[in-house]
Amino acid sequence: MKKETLKQQSIYVHMDSVINNVVTSGITFCDFMNGVMSPPQNILLLKHQFQDASFNAHTSFHYTDVRDLAELKKAPVSQYGDFCWVDFEDLDLVNQLTAQEVAELLYLAHTGRHLRSPFYYKLQNNFVYLTMNDGRYNKVYYRNLDQFYHVLAYAIWKNMMQLTTEKIVLPFMKRKKIADIPVALLKKFATYFKEGVCISFDDAVKTRNQIEVPIGYHLQDDMQELLRSNELIGYDRVVAHLNYDMKKNEWLLLEE
């Protein structure tokens, strides 16, 4: 049977499991909020353009609480340029941050690097979210890396849904339901993630009953170069395929 080549946005992942940060391309703030197991309730905005944020006089940072998060999720974050934040548990404890801790947060947002641990006792933060172009180049620190795998699972599921519904043009045409991808399956990529891999929806191939997504290894361009361009993510070789059987509603990882 003739195959059709599909064009979609790929997902790049490079993980540093020592300091629990993950650099990604192809995963947006909205994907993060929809996929994460325990979404942040309060966010201290280090760099942003969100108009409905509140101001904290002690730190001179803006912040949002749970009442604002729905609006922030709908905001055009990809147009903000710099968008950096940490979550926090209690505003009273934000007001106890020292000048040194505020300076560290400013350095973190400015350089994308941490001076000490990016997880602050006073904030009780689970995340540090840093991007200069949301969805194109994101760097996120996770207190618990399991949270990342759930975000990745959602982003992959979303792309697969787009692949299966892209030719639906009439409202009565049936949409295929894509099963959630098992997090345990994604953890099998862990070794590859340490070097950086591309889950290449740009090169995905669909047959009648299956979608096959190559897993590309050895990026052809530095991620900083990709940040400054609109080029597709290129890679040197394929090390595995992520397959979805639409008949059985099953995911498979097939290594080369």
Side-chain angles (χ1 to χ4, degrees):
M1 179 179 295
K2 185 179 179 180
K3 296 182 178 181
E4 56 180 323
T5 302
L6 304 162
K7 291 298 178 184
Q8 292 289 330
Q9 187 180 35
S10 295
I11 296 172
Y12 172 79
V13 178
H14 185 260
M15 177 185 290
D16 186 333
S17 57
V18 176
I19 54 176
N20 280 25
N21 76 43
V22 187
V23 171
T24 63
S25 182
I27 299 178
T28 66
F29 172 68
C30 195
D31 294 334
F32 172 89
M33 293 296 288
N34 285 327
V36 72
M37 288 185 295
S38 302
Q41 299 299 299
N42 307 297
I43 288 178
L44 195 63
L45 294 159
L46 309 180
K47 288 188 176 184
H48 72 104
Q49 296 180 35
F50 184 54
Q51 298 298 314
D52 296 326
S54 301
F55 182 73
N56 177 254
H58 176 72
T59 61
S60 291
F61 291 132
H62 289 88
Y63 69 93
T64 67
D65 59 25
V66 68
R67 296 167 297 180
D68 305 312
L69 284 180
E71 291 303 313
L72 183 57
K73 281 176 65 175
K74 294 186 289 186
V77 170
S78 62
Q79 298 173 25
Y80 284 0
D82 292 337
F83 181 57
C84 306
W85 56 265
V86 298
D87 59 306
F88 66 92
E89 195 167 279
D90 191 285
L91 191 59
D92 288 339
L93 291 176
V94 171
N95 290 329
Q96 294 179 30
L97 288 172
T98 64
Q100 174 66 29
E101 289 166 332
V102 172
E104 288 177 16
L105 289 169
L106 286 168
Y107 181 86
L108 191 55
H110 182 66
T111 67
R113 299 187 297 273
H114 59 284
L115 287 172
R116 294 189 296 176
S117 170
F119 302 106
Y120 292 82
Y121 175 76
K122 291 174 186 173
L123 296 178
Q124 290 293 296
N125 62 306
N126 292 306
F127 312 103
V128 178
Y129 192 100
L130 309 167
T131 181
M132 292 179 286
N133 186 349
D134 190 62
R136 183 61 172 173
Y137 179 93
N138 294 15
K139 182 177 183 179
V140 182
Y141 290 85
Y142 292 85
R143 188 183 291 272
N144 180 351
L145 278 176
D146 279 354
Q147 296 265 18
F148 165 70
Y149 284 104
H150 284 266
V151 172
L152 179 60
Y154 173 82
I156 291 173
W157 174 86
K158 185 188 76 171
N159 275 282
M160 281 294 194
M161 283 296 294
Q162 291 173 348
L163 293 184
T164 59
T165 61
E166 65 174 4
K167 291 198 171 181
I168 292 177
V169 294
L170 298 173
F172 58 81
M173 292 179 71
K174 186 177 180 181
R175 292 178 178 269
K176 292 184 179 293
K177 174 64 176 175
I178 300 293
D180 293 337
I181 183 168
V183 168
L185 182 66
L186 291 179
K187 288 184 176 181
K188 294 181 179 179
F189 289 104
T191 301
Y192 297 134
F193 288 161
K194 291 177 182 178
E195 298 297 326
V197 297
C198 175
I199 304 171
S200 185
F201 289 96
D202 296 309
D203 298 319
V205 174
K206 179 182 175 183
T207 61
R208 185 172 181 179
N209 295 318
Q210 181 175 276
I211 298 175
E212 183 179 86
V213 183
I215 307 301
Y217 203 51
H218 291 158
L219 219 61
Q220 292 174 353
D221 294 300
D222 184 86
M223 278 301 296
Q224 292 292 338
E225 288 297 321
L226 288 171
L227 177 62
R228 293 187 284 268
S229 74
N230 292 315
E231 297 296 320
L232 295 176
I233 299 172
Y235 48 88
D236 288 332
R237 63 190 179 96
V238 174
V239 293
H241 286 87
L242 182 63
N243 284 16
Y244 185 71
D245 188 316
M246 292 182 285
K247 203 167 184 179
K248 298 178 181 178
N249 288 329
E250 289 181 354
W251 294 88
L252 293 171
L253 174 62
L254 304 176
E255 299 191 70
E256 294 289 301

